[in-house]
Amino acid sequence: MKKFILLSALAICALISLNSCSSCSNKENTPSANNVTLAKGELIAENIISSDREYMFLNYGGDYRWFETCIVLNDWLDSEDNDGSIAGISNVFQVVKWEGSSADTYVILIAHSENADTIDIKNGFWIEDFPLEKDSIKLTYRDAFEKVMEVNAPKPHSKHCILRKPIGPKDCNPQWVFGNIQDQLWVDAVTGEVKDSNPAFEGFGFKMPLGEWP
């Protein structure tokens, strides 16, 4: 089985090229990428997460893994004009495809903007995160955005937010992470607590970057 590391930047970069030809997502010997349908209008994170998870269930069954939801905002977090509105959303999933007694693992990236929906399928596996599909996520994206705006802390100069459960020496809840490689604000998706460092490495004396974000 081919294996390679897929970083969070894959999801972000995919949003930049949403208008590219969707047929390039269909690679030989990979699962087929059926059409994605999305109700036009405002991009609402929870609605898109729900519809993409339904797509995964209908096309691949219930044994899939949901690793991240990546959001690109219309404006910078530290901008006075920032209202939390969304320019694009992508969801990262992983499935195992069995062929006889052997299996291949695939990462499936479903990306959405107001004008286009695309699927990209890679033969490989996702690292850096625990799967989210069985976790309790009590805060919506809007809830987390409001927490970030209310907290008495500098806002990162970034348009990015990721819902993820980071792997580290300390167990933590899923996190809404706003920021870039230099600065982040982590919002606990269960308790609403806001921190400026990765809670999976809390108490270990250093901050962990979010990956190669812009």
Side-chain angles (χ1 to χ4, degrees), residues 132-198:
L132 293 167
E133 67 274 357
K134 295 183 180 179
D135 276 276
S136 173
I137 298 172
K138 295 184 178 180
L139 269 70
T140 65
Y141 160 73
R142 276 290 172 182
D143 293 335
F145 175 79
E146 293 299 326
K147 293 286 186 182
V148 165
M149 292 297 103
E150 292 170 1
V151 71
N152 185 21
K155 308 303 182 284
H157 185 63
S158 173
K159 294 183 179 181
H160 299 293
C161 171
I162 289 185
L163 175 63
R164 59 187 294 243
K165 186 175 182 178
I167 292 175
K170 184 177 179 180
D171 185 45
C172 68
N173 292 323
Q175 304 285 315
W176 290 100
V177 193
F178 295 80
N180 51 43
I181 192 171
Q182 290 85 20
D183 301 293
Q184 313 96 38
L185 290 173
W186 300 68
V187 183
D188 191 301
V190 177
T191 68
E193 183 179 6
V194 182
K195 297 182 178 181
D196 64 355
S197 60
N198 188 338

Side-chain angles (χ1 to χ4, degrees), residues 9-211:
L10 173 66
I12 299 300
C13 292
L15 290 171
I16 299 174
S17 57
L18 280 173
N19 293 321
S20 63
C21 176
S22 61
S23 64
C24 64
S25 297
N26 290 314
K27 307 290 193 305
E28 187 178 358
N29 298 324
T30 66
S32 61
N34 296 327
N35 291 331
V36 184
T37 57
L38 176 68
K40 298 304 177 184
E42 181 183 1
L43 296 174
I44 299 174
E46 288 66 38
N47 292 354
I48 291 177
I49 291 170
S50 178
S51 64
D52 284 359
R53 293 190 65 183
E54 181 180 10
Y55 170 88
M56 292 298 298
F57 180 82
L58 292 174
N59 286 276
Y60 302 104
D63 192 22
Y64 66 85
R65 298 293 178 265
W66 166 39
F67 281 109
E68 287 189 357
T69 293
C70 309
I71 297 173
V72 177
L73 285 69
N74 280 306
D75 297 300
W76 303 100
L77 284 169
D78 55 356
S79 168
E80 293 183 358
D81 298 327
N82 181 27
D83 60 1
S85 60
I86 296 172
I89 300 178
S90 59
N91 285 299
V92 179
F93 301 97
Q94 181 176 289
V95 296
V96 176
K97 181 182 178 183
W98 286 91
E99 296 182 1
S101 59
S102 62
D104 274 331
T105 304
Y106 297 92
V107 172
I108 299 175
L109 175 70
I110 308 178
H112 308 268
S113 72
E114 291 184 354
N115 301 314
D117 309 311
T118 64
I119 301 178
D120 193 20
I121 300 174
K122 301 292 186 182
N123 184 199
F125 60 96
W126 192 261
I127 64 171
E128 295 189 336
D129 301 310
F130 288 112
L132 293 167
E133 67 274 357
K134 295 183 180 179
D135 276 276
S136 173
I137 298 172
K138 295 184 178 180
L139 269 70
T140 65
Y141 160 73
R142 276 290 172 182
D143 293 335
F145 175 79
E146 293 299 326
K147 293 286 186 182
V148 165
M149 292 297 103
E150 292 170 1
V151 71
N152 185 21
K155 308 303 182 284
H157 185 63
S158 173
K159 294 183 179 181
H160 299 293
C161 171
I162 289 185
L163 175 63
R164 59 187 294 243
K165 186 175 182 178
I167 292 175
K170 184 177 179 180
D171 185 45
C172 68
N173 292 323
Q175 304 285 315
W176 290 100
V177 193
F178 295 80
N180 51 43
I181 192 171
Q182 290 85 20
D183 301 293
Q184 313 96 38
L185 290 173
W186 300 68
V187 183
D188 191 301
V190 177
T191 68
E193 183 179 6
V194 182
K195 297 182 178 181
D196 64 355
S197 60
N198 188 338
F201 287 82
E202 186 176 21
F204 286 81
F206 59 93
K207 296 182 181 181
M208 291 295 294
L210 297 182

